[in-house]
């Protein structure tokens, strides 16, 4: 076969296979038998072997997997992947509707969707080609799982239009595939997956893409990450647009004119839920209009324009076998119920926190009791109540100990607290828990250093404080249980990479009492370096909006400790970054820029700046970037081929700039 014919033939096969794939996996309407598809695929594989110059990243052959990765690279989400606030009943939904009405008025509608129980992913396409797929991670930094996502048949490798777009959705494993997978696992005497969500997550975390390819994963896309770039004005239009691009969206969505229609949707899905071929853990209700979404904005964690309705939790009965005690990072001693293992809401539960002694008394819990269990928010196991009428008389009262179960020093109950604490700063349990906290996701985020590895390293006295983590050697790690060459070298790389983290991660990781992840970020932005924060006074600290008396006191006394100063010095010498690296917002009062307090809309194609760069710059200078033009818009920046948004700006008499004018203005600042 000559080159030209080969190229043509390959293109024809691409087109046919993509069409059959789309019909089968997205539309669920196959037009040819499987054997026909397989035959064409074999032809394509052979042709690509013969003519590798025509093998492209969007070829259907790329879906079968085959290469093995060393590790997943980290990916920064330019637009954070947020989570949703929860509603647990009719009242919560009516409250949500009231908040929306207060902010945008009576005239609003909703889109109701199923809340798919899988794994959130972000997919990036450049000029219509799938270039990168990532997990949510901590919302800001996720993992690059492009190779595995290419194997998901319902994810298009090329879109129907050559657009650059980032979309968000949920990868999941259908119930039937989950059952089939677990059947095979059991036959091979392997540990089965607890539920389809864990199975999907486990499959996407495989370094061998062939495994992911074999797992029958599926996807529903539910949001466009940045709606500024697309020429649609509402979420419902956005979903239709995703359909036109070739994405798979969930068709069980409904546009609702008011909250009563939303409640009817909720009621109907409460009944229909068990019959779906995939798991859902709730419903999602979103304000439809992008303009109203923009008006409503976000809280620190989630959009104000959407809410997740959670179905009432399933409750089951089991036996409470004993109560175990553990000592946390701050010395608090927590009792945990050890349960007779029981299935609830998709997984087996054998432990539930009892929080403190008061709760045990309040619920009148005794060892040996029959108890009702549920998973709060479908995730955290909880003892709902005791079935006192089932008691046999054999049940035993529980007594909190007087001494620390780990270091045996006397426990104290601090004034105003319900918790019992071990106040020995050298208590090994506290140190170990502090180390586990240091490497955790919202702190230094060191992959491969989980609870188990830290506990082993600590028990073998290889680490005593967080600085020791940076001194670990290959020989020390390879000697640990279940550690292979590859995992050790990945771990060492992850430890090294964590030195570059921005200040707030380190600050949160150090575990200063009362300083949570959010406060750590505020402090990092405000003080910029660890040194400046360490020398901050109580007055400087409390002058900051979100920092209260208790936190300020705790920060000042933390940095006064000699061992803390020594530790920070040591970390500095090791090369751990002590500066804030994220964007620095300019406050509106300080900004002399003409964008301060203004709402700007970007439309059309920008040539010199990317959308995100333009947006970041405008926001840095105190402006707000909105998705659609309204009377409240102050300025529209119109690039090439600007369409309906430019027309609307002209109609409303809103000022319009070219990209050059924008760049001129940015240069002044
Ligand atoms: S919208 C900014 N829609 O639920 C809003 N989320 O806590 C982003 N999810 O992490 C979420 N189905 O993984 C949205 N139809 C749906 C969803 C959905 C499942 C997941 C998603 C997110 C979590 C929300």
């Amino acid at each position: 076969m000559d080159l030209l014919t080969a190229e043509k033939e390959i293109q024809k096969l691409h087109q046919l296979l993509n069409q059959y794939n789309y019909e089968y996996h997205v539309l669920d309407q196959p037009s040819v038998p499987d054997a026909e598809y397989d035959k064409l695929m074999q032809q394509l594989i052979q042709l690509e072997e013969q003519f590798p110059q025509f093998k492209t990243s969007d070829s259907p052959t790329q879906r079968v997997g085959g290469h093995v990765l060393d590790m997943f690279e980290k990916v920064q989400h330019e637009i954070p992947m947020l989570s949703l606030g929860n509603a647990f009943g009719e009242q919560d939904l009516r409250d949500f509707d009231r908040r929306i009405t207060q902010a945008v008025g009576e005239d609003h509608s909703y889109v109701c969707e199923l809340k798919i129980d899988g794994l959130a992913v972000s997919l990036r396409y450049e000029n219509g080609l799938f270039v990168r797929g990532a997990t949510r991670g901590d919302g800001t930094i996720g993992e690059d799982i492009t190779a595995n996502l290419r194997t998901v048949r319902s994810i298009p490798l090329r879109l129907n239009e050559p657009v650059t777009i980032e979309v968000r959705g949920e990868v999941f494993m259908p119930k039937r595939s989950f059952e089939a997978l677990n059947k095979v696992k059991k036959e091979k005497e392997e540990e089965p997956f607890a539920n389809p969500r864990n199975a999907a997550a486990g499959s996407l975390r495989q370094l061998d893409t062939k495994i992911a390819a074999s797992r029958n994963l599926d996807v529903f896309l539910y949001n466009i990450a940045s709606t500024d770039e697309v020429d649609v004005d509402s979420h419902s239009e956005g979903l239709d647009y995703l359909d036109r691009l070739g994405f798979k969206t969930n068709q069980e969505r409904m546009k609702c004119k008011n909250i009563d229609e939303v409640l009817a949707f909720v009621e109907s899905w409460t009944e229909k839920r068990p019959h779906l071929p995939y798991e859902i853990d709730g419903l999602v209700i979103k304000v439809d209009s992008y303009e109203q979404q923009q008006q409503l904005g976000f809280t620190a964690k989630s959009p104000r324009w959407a809410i997740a309705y959670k179905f009432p939790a399933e409750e089951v009965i089991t036996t409470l076998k004993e109560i175990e005690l553990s000592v946390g990072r701050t010395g608090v001693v927590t009792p945990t119920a050890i349960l007779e293992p029981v299935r609830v809401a998709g997984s087996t539960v054998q432990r539930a926190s009892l929080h403190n002694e008061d709760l045990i008394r309040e619920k009148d819990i005794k060892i040996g009791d029959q108890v009702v269990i549920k998973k709060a928010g479908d995730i955290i196991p909880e003892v709902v109540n005791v079935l006192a009428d089932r008691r046999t008389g054999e049940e035993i009262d529980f007594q909190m100990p007087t001494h620390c179960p780990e270091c045996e020093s006397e426990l104290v109950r601090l004034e105003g607290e319900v918790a019992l604490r071990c106040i020995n700063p050298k208590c090994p349990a506290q140190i170990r828990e502090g180390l586990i906290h240091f490497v955790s996701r919202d702190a230094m985020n060191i992959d491969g250093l989980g609870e188990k590895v830290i506990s082993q390293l600590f028990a073998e006295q290889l680490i005593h404080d967080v600085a020791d983590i940076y001194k670990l050697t290959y020989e020390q790690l390879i000697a640990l249980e279940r550690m292979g060459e590859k995992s050790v070298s990945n771990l060492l790389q992850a430890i090294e990479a964590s030195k570059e983290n921005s200040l707030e991660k380190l600050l949160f990781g150090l575990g200063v009492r009362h300083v949570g992840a959010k406060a750590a970020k505020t402090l990092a932005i405000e003080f910029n370096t660890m040194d400046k924060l360490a020398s901050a006074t109580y007055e400087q600290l409390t002058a900051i909006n979100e920092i209260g008396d208790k936190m300020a006191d705790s920060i000042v006394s933390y940095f006064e400790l000699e061992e803390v100063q020594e530790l920070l010095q040591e970390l500095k010498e090791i090369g751990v970054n002590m500066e804030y690296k994220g964007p620095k917002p300019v406050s509106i009062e300080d900004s002399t820029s003409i964008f301060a307090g203004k709402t700007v809309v970007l439309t059309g194609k920008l040539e010199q700046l990317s959308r995100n760069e333009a947006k970041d710059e405008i926001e840095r200078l105190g402006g707000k970037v909105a998705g659609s033009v309204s009377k409240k818009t102050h300025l529209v920046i119109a690039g090439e081929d600007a369409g309906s948004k430019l027309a609307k700006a002209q109609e409303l008499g809103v000022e319009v700039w070219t990209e050059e004018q924008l760049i001129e203005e940015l240069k002044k600042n």
Side-chain angles (χ1 to χ4, degrees):
M1 194 182 290
D2 66 51
L3 276 181
L4 201 62
T5 325
E7 189 178 12
K8 278 213 177 116
E9 191 59 22
I10 286 180
Q11 275 171 1
K12 198 181 95 199
L13 286 166
H14 271 198
Q15 201 252 324
L16 268 180
L17 284 162
N18 277 337
Q19 183 196 327
Y20 296 156
N21 185 68
Y22 177 76
E23 287 165 350
Y24 186 105
H25 293 282
V26 179
L27 300 182
D28 205 9
Q29 286 164 356
S31 64
V32 292
D34 288 1
E36 174 68 12
Y37 183 89
D38 293 343
K39 193 183 85 195
L40 297 179
M41 182 63 102
Q42 283 312 318
Q43 280 177 15
L44 180 59
I45 291 173
Q46 272 173 19
L47 275 175
E48 283 184 347
E49 263 170 27
Q50 240 179 309
F51 302 95
Q53 63 270 49
F54 299 132
K55 193 167 168 172
T56 58
S57 69
D58 64 329
S59 165
T61 58
Q62 298 301 298
R63 294 195 179 278
V64 293
H67 50 288
V68 180
L69 310 171
D70 283 341
M71 64 187 294
F72 298 113
E73 300 285 331
K74 293 246 150 97
V75 169
Q76 170 108 21
H77 298 300
E78 285 188 33
I79 300 157
M81 289 182 78
L82 300 171
S83 57
L84 293 172
N86 289 326
F88 292 101
E90 176 173 342
Q91 195 51 49
D92 287 353
L93 286 175
R94 289 199 183 276
D95 289 346
F96 169 70
D97 183 53
R98 198 164 309 122
R99 291 196 295 275
I100 304 291
T101 309
Q102 267 167 9
V104 303
E106 294 282 350
D107 190 13
H108 59 268
S109 47
Y110 296 109
V111 176
C112 294
E113 294 167 21
L114 306 186
K115 186 166 183 297
I116 314 299
D117 196 11
L119 206 82
V121 293
S122 188
L123 310 179
R124 186 171 168 77
Y125 290 78
E126 283 172 8
N127 304 316
L129 265 192
F130 177 48
V131 291
R132 198 192 68 196
T135 61
R136 176 174 185 274
D138 64 1
T140 312
I141 294 181
E143 282 181 324
D144 187 331
I145 50 163
T146 316
N148 280 338
L149 289 174
R150 275 191 208 288
T151 70
V152 178
R153 304 278 167 144
S154 42
I155 293 182
L157 300 179
R158 180 188 284 278
L159 302 177
N160 295 330
E161 291 174 25
V163 288
T164 294
I165 192 170
E166 194 159 319
V167 294
R168 306 265 157 93
E170 198 86 352
V171 170
F172 63 96
M173 188 179 282
K175 285 179 187 166
R176 276 180 60 184
S177 312
F178 168 72
E179 280 149 21
L181 173 64
N182 264 358
K183 193 164 162 250
V184 174
K185 282 205 157 251
K186 277 184 201 146
E187 279 161 13
K188 288 199 211 155
E189 293 188 0
E190 288 174 8
E191 186 72 19
F193 283 110
N195 51 48
R197 179 160 46 87
N198 287 4
S203 308
L204 286 181
R205 286 206 50 86
Q206 292 288 337
L207 291 167
D208 180 350
T209 56
K210 261 223 163 73
I211 301 185
S214 73
R215 292 281 170 87
N216 282 320
L217 296 172
D218 205 341
V219 75
F220 284 125
L221 280 314
Y222 52 64
N223 261 6
I224 302 173
S226 166
T227 51
D228 311 345
E229 329 215 344
V230 294
D231 221 2
V232 287
D233 289 327
S234 67
H235 180 62
S236 49
E237 284 174 27
L239 291 174
D240 294 343
Y241 177 56
L242 291 182
D243 284 337
R244 289 201 299 280
L245 287 178
F247 286 112
K248 182 162 175 174
T249 64
N250 192 293
Q251 300 301 311
E252 306 293 357
R253 56 183 181 256
M254 192 164 105
K255 198 166 156 172
C256 294
K257 286 198 295 293
N258 53 45
I259 197 69
D260 290 317
E261 287 187 15
V262 171
L263 290 165
F265 183 86
V266 168
E267 199 182 315
S268 93
W269 277 104
T270 307
E271 261 178 40
K272 289 189 283 187
R273 176 189 184 195
H275 311 296
L276 278 168
Y278 43 83
E279 300 256 8
I280 61 173
D281 57 342
L283 305 170
V284 183
I285 295 100
K286 302 174 183 172
V287 169
D288 193 26
S289 145
Y290 283 158
E291 187 182 336
Q292 290 177 339
Q293 287 189 3
Q294 204 87 41
Q295 258 174 284
L296 285 153
F298 301 85
T299 67
K301 279 196 189 148
S302 45
R304 287 202 189 84
W305 42 263
I307 199 159
Y309 171 83
K310 293 295 188 80
F311 293 116
E314 182 194 347
E315 297 192 345
V316 298
I317 297 170
T318 189
T319 309
L320 188 152
K321 296 194 298 188
E322 58 180 297
I323 293 178
E324 199 181 84
L325 294 161
S326 59
V327 185
R329 163 170 76 89
T330 59
V332 172
V333 179
T334 308
T336 301
I338 307 298
L339 308 163
E340 192 60 49
V342 62
R343 288 281 302 174
V344 51
S347 73
T348 304
V349 168
Q350 35 197 343
R351 305 166 67 84
S353 175
L354 295 171
H355 303 288
N356 53 53
E357 191 176 7
D358 285 11
L359 186 129
I360 298 179
R361 301 277 158 261
E362 229 168 73
K363 295 198 170 166
D364 183 29
I365 295 172
K366 294 180 200 272
I367 298 168
D369 266 337
Q370 295 277 294
V371 288
V372 176
I373 304 293
K374 73 167 184 189
K375 280 202 207 147
D378 260 358
I379 302 175
I380 302 160
E382 176 185 307
V383 175
V384 183
N385 59 280
V386 165
L387 299 172
D389 55 352
R390 294 202 185 178
R391 281 188 178 148
T392 60
E394 302 276 296
E395 295 76 16
I396 305 165
D397 271 329
F398 171 74
Q399 289 297 334
M400 275 301 262
T402 51
H403 289 77
C404 173
E406 194 104 12
C407 73
E408 286 171 11
S409 50
E410 198 169 345
L411 298 177
V412 296
R413 191 182 272 236
L414 299 182
E415 217 186 293
E417 283 190 4
V418 279
L420 272 182
R421 268 180 208 275
C422 165
I423 51 167
N424 168 18
K426 299 214 159 59
C427 171
Q430 291 180 48
I431 299 174
R432 184 185 61 233
E433 294 303 313
L435 289 163
I436 293 171
H437 170 76
F438 184 78
V439 300
S440 64
R441 194 158 79 173
D442 286 342
M444 294 301 264
N445 195 11
I446 306 181
D447 274 351
L449 257 194
E451 209 172 315
K452 286 205 181 107
V453 182
I454 289 279
S455 300
Q456 265 191 75
L457 290 167
F458 186 71
E460 297 189 16
Q461 302 201 348
L462 293 173
I463 50 173
H464 307 89
D465 63 19
V466 298
D468 288 343
I469 293 174
Y470 293 97
K471 299 177 201 155
L472 287 167
T473 64
Y474 182 88
E475 287 70 30
Q476 288 173 331
L477 291 169
I478 197 84
L480 298 179
E481 270 172 45
R482 269 183 269 150
M483 276 291 211
E485 255 173 56
K486 189 155 265 167
S487 39
V488 171
S489 83
N490 285 344
L491 178 51
L492 286 170
Q493 258 184 55
I495 293 175
E496 192 58 30
S498 78
K499 290 183 184 172
E500 300 305 320
N501 283 345
S502 181
L503 174 62
E504 67 276 18
K505 293 238 156 205
L506 174 63
L507 188 54
F508 177 59
L510 289 172
V512 187
R513 183 75 63 82
H514 304 303
V515 178
K518 188 158 179 278
K521 179 122 189 215
T522 306
L523 291 165
I525 293 175
E526 205 67 39
F527 291 96
N528 205 39
T529 68
M530 187 70 95
D531 285 342
K532 285 200 194 124
L533 172 63
S535 55
T537 61
Y538 173 86
E539 288 70 28
Q540 282 173 313
L541 287 162
T542 45
I544 302 166
N545 236 343
E546 296 155 51
I547 313 294
D549 301 351
K550 237 163 99 182
M551 205 194 304
D553 264 338
S554 158
I555 295 168
V556 172
S557 29
Y558 177 80
F559 285 108
E560 272 169 3
L561 294 173
E562 207 169 304
E563 63 259 35
V564 167
Q565 290 167 12
E566 281 169 16
L567 175 69
L568 290 176
Q569 186 54 35
E570 201 180 350
L571 288 172
K572 229 184 251 180
E573 280 161 19
I574 287 167
V576 176
N577 169 59
M578 305 243 167
E579 287 184 16
Y580 175 63
K581 290 184 169 177
K584 297 186 181 64
V586 178
S587 79
I588 294 180
E589 296 88 63
D590 296 348
S591 176
T592 52
S593 123
I594 62 163
F595 298 119
K598 299 279 166 63
T599 302
V600 183
V601 172
L602 299 166
T603 183
K605 224 182 243 147
L606 300 184
E607 300 285 331
Q608 302 179 51
L609 288 172
S610 77
R611 272 297 168 121
N612 280 325
E613 283 164 351
K615 184 165 184 262
D616 285 350
E617 284 297 300
I618 292 168
E619 284 174 355
R620 192 178 61 79
L621 296 170
K624 209 172 109 186
V625 175
S628 52
V629 179
S630 73
K631 278 182 279 179
K632 291 188 187 130
T633 313
H634 297 101
L635 177 64
V636 169
I637 314 283
E640 287 277 300
D641 300 330
S644 66
K645 291 183 194 176
L646 173 59
K648 188 148 181 207
Q650 284 160 344
E651 188 191 311
L652 293 172
V654 175
E655 189 173 348
V656 179
W657 283 11
T658 60
E659 185 182 3
E660 281 70 38
Q661 283 174 287
L662 169 67
I663 290 170
E664 278 309 303
E665 187 57 36
L666 294 179
K667 279 189 194 150
K668 292 186 201 157
N669 293 279

